[in-house]
Amino acid sequence: DHIKTLKDNYDSLMKIIDDYEVELEGFECKFNSITIKNIINEISMFSIQISDLLNYDKKTIKTIYKSDSSILQIAKKNQSILTGKKINLQKNINNIKYIEKYEPTELLYLPPMCPTSYSDNNTCPYYRTHPIHFQDRDKDKFNNELEKIQNQIDLLDIEIYKYSEFPLIYNKIKIVKNLWKELYPKLRNLNVLAKSNLFDVLSMGVESKWYDYDKLVKILELCEKREKYYELTEKNQSMRAELNSLNKYDIDLLNEKFDSYKIKLEEIYSKINSKESKLEEYNKELEYYKSIYLKLSEIEILKNELYEKKNKCDELNKKIEDMDSNLPIIYEKEGIIENTHREITSITNEINMLESNINKLNTIINDIDYTRKEFDEASKKEIYLKLMIEASSSKEGLPLIFIRRFITSTKDIINDMLYEVFNGSIEIIDFIIEENEFSIPYYSNGVRVDDVLKASQGEQSIISIALSFALMQKFTKRWNIPLLDEPDGPLYKSDRSKFLSILFNHINSIGSDQVFIISHNNTFDGYPVNVLMTSDEIIDNPKLVKILKA
């Protein structure tokens, strides 16, 4: 039966092998099915990268694809230039909004006898250059200007965003190139490529047929059949070898052996039956002995429990005897404890009395300290009064103590202005004012410097301006229209924006509506100011400046 089954399986297997040979005729491929599947996975990953890359602007992709890494520096430079333009446009918007929201602290005053203030066309130059006049006259113009500048900013934002994507697109193109470098030779060997150039693939997109998918799937199927063919051929050879070995045996000899083995098997079955009957008897005896063993185990457990309880009873009797012998000692200790309680009560009363006395003494000491502080303050006031009396005489002059208090009181105001300019990197320390010395020590980036004379010229100029403004804020109460003569003269061009920060801080602090400044520089170009020109010089940014001729 086994030989017949083998022959039937062998014949059916040979038929399958013949079918495979017909299908695989003329098929050649150096890759196996696992490699082909890996190639399909690589194509899928490559298509995902291409699809992701094509979400960006195609013109940008083409520019970056045909360039090297230097394109990133060019994009960064262009982005910086466009950002600078955007900042300048934003400054113009801020200046226009400042004019729109400007609210003077006092009403516009027009002298009652002024011949130009109340004329029909109101030709008063003071009124025509005041921000209120601009607000009344140019609201539509401001709105149009704001809309125009905002449109320019929106266009710049689009360009800035486009250049900001250059590094990301460059890296994605680099990944795609590396994938193509690995994938191209494999697909070329399989002869499934429709496009051999990566840029053509990018131009067509992943939805187009840049390779023959059906042919690749067909190659995968043939590779799997080829591997199955090799497996079946090997199995067929082993079956053929087994059939050849079985055909060598004589059928009569096999039948004789089969009969002898059958007799032996019957004898073995009879022995097994007798052994099984004995096994049943042994199992019954085993069950009986198990029941006896369980009873014996229970008796042993009861014995152990009885022994433990007996030991506990002996221990309790011993403890009772010990307690009877200790009763006199306990009574004696109770008496000692009562005496100790009485002593503790008396000591507690004494401690309470001492704490009451200590509290009284502390109150007296506090009164003495307060009286001493009042005496010290009175002594200081007496010294100040003496100095004031001396200062009132024509012989002694103004004492140094008043100069110190006068100058030192401006330190916090100066440091507030310097913080806006230097962001905390420069801070004035206490002034040194002696009979033969005057210096202004300061911190520069946490390092102590003896005097501002050691600072740079630009830093000296800023600190000097801040000191002057602080003195004005501290001691000018009645007037708030400053007249400044060339305050920006010693400043470098790069420091003039710092001067403007201090100036605006000063204007807000004293509540000033007007400031008169004499200047030979273009510091205020681009700011909403009125300029009285004494020359034919050209203003760089005249949109927000009202120009008058002297």
Side-chain angles (χ1 to χ4, degrees), residues 64-275:
I64 298 175
Y65 182 86
K66 295 186 176 181
S67 304
D68 54 12
S69 59
S70 62
I71 193 68
L72 298 180
Q73 297 295 330
I74 296 172
K76 185 177 180 181
K77 183 178 180 182
N78 290 339
Q79 187 179 0
S80 177
I81 293 170
L82 294 174
T83 302
K85 291 181 179 179
K86 178 184 174 182
I87 291 171
N88 291 332
L89 291 173
Q90 192 63 52
K91 286 181 179 178
N92 290 339
I93 288 178
N94 293 337
N95 290 335
I96 293 173
K97 289 182 177 179
Y98 172 77
I99 292 177
E100 287 183 330
K101 296 179 181 179
Y102 176 78
E103 294 181 2
T105 56
E106 296 180 4
L107 295 175
L108 177 64
Y109 175 72
L110 299 175
M113 301 301 294
C114 179
T116 61
S117 299
Y118 298 95
S119 61
D120 293 336
N121 55 0
N122 201 339
T123 58
C124 175
Y126 174 62
Y127 171 76
R128 292 177 66 82
T129 58
H130 198 277
I132 290 178
H133 174 67
F134 284 104
Q135 291 175 348
D136 295 338
R137 191 191 67 182
D138 293 335
K139 285 185 178 179
D140 293 337
K141 180 181 177 182
F142 286 155
N143 291 333
N144 293 334
E145 186 70 18
L146 280 174
E147 184 179 357
K148 181 180 177 182
I149 295 174
Q150 188 60 50
N151 291 335
Q152 293 177 5
I153 290 176
D154 293 340
L155 292 175
L156 287 175
D157 283 335
I158 294 172
E159 289 296 316
I160 291 170
Y161 180 75
K162 183 180 76 173
Y163 283 117
S164 68
E165 288 183 332
F166 268 51
L168 181 61
I169 296 173
Y170 178 83
N171 290 330
K172 289 183 180 294
I173 290 176
K174 188 176 180 181
I175 292 171
V176 168
K177 285 182 176 180
N178 291 333
L179 290 173
W180 179 257
K181 186 176 180 181
E182 296 178 2
L183 191 59
Y184 174 73
K186 299 175 184 177
L187 297 179
R188 186 181 62 182
N189 186 276
L190 294 171
N191 196 23
V192 295
L193 278 174
K195 295 290 181 181
S196 60
N197 187 283
L198 176 58
F199 186 74
D200 294 338
V201 176
L202 288 173
S203 301
M204 294 170 62
V206 291
E207 296 180 358
S208 60
K209 293 184 178 181
W210 57 275
Y211 74 100
D212 193 340
Y213 174 79
D214 296 334
K215 184 176 180 180
L216 186 61
V217 172
K218 182 66 177 177
I219 291 173
L220 175 61
E221 292 176 356
L222 290 174
C223 286
E224 290 175 343
K225 288 183 178 180
R226 183 177 62 185
E227 291 164 7
K228 188 68 176 176
Y229 169 78
Y230 291 150
E231 181 184 349
L232 293 175
T233 302
E234 185 176 351
K235 186 176 180 181
N236 187 26
Q237 290 175 355
S238 64
M239 290 176 66
R240 188 183 186 89
E242 187 176 359
L243 281 172
N244 292 333
S245 63
L246 289 174
N247 288 329
K248 294 178 182 179
Y249 290 100
D250 188 358
I251 299 299
D252 296 333
L253 181 62
L254 288 174
N255 289 329
E256 291 177 3
K257 287 183 178 182
F258 177 77
D259 293 336
S260 63
Y261 287 146
K262 189 175 181 182
I263 294 169
K264 289 181 181 179
L265 185 63
E266 290 176 354
E267 293 175 355
I268 291 171
Y269 278 142
S270 63
K271 290 181 181 179
I272 289 172
N273 291 330
S274 62
K275 296 293 182 182

Side-chain angles (χ1 to χ4, degrees), residues 276-297:
E276 285 179 348
S277 61
K278 288 183 180 180
L279 181 62
E280 289 179 357
E281 293 176 0
Y282 290 149
N283 285 332
K284 291 179 181 179
E285 291 180 1
L286 181 63
E287 291 294 330
Y288 173 72
Y289 287 129
K290 280 184 179 179
S291 62
I292 294 173
Y293 176 75
L294 289 173
K295 291 180 180 178
L296 290 173
S297 298

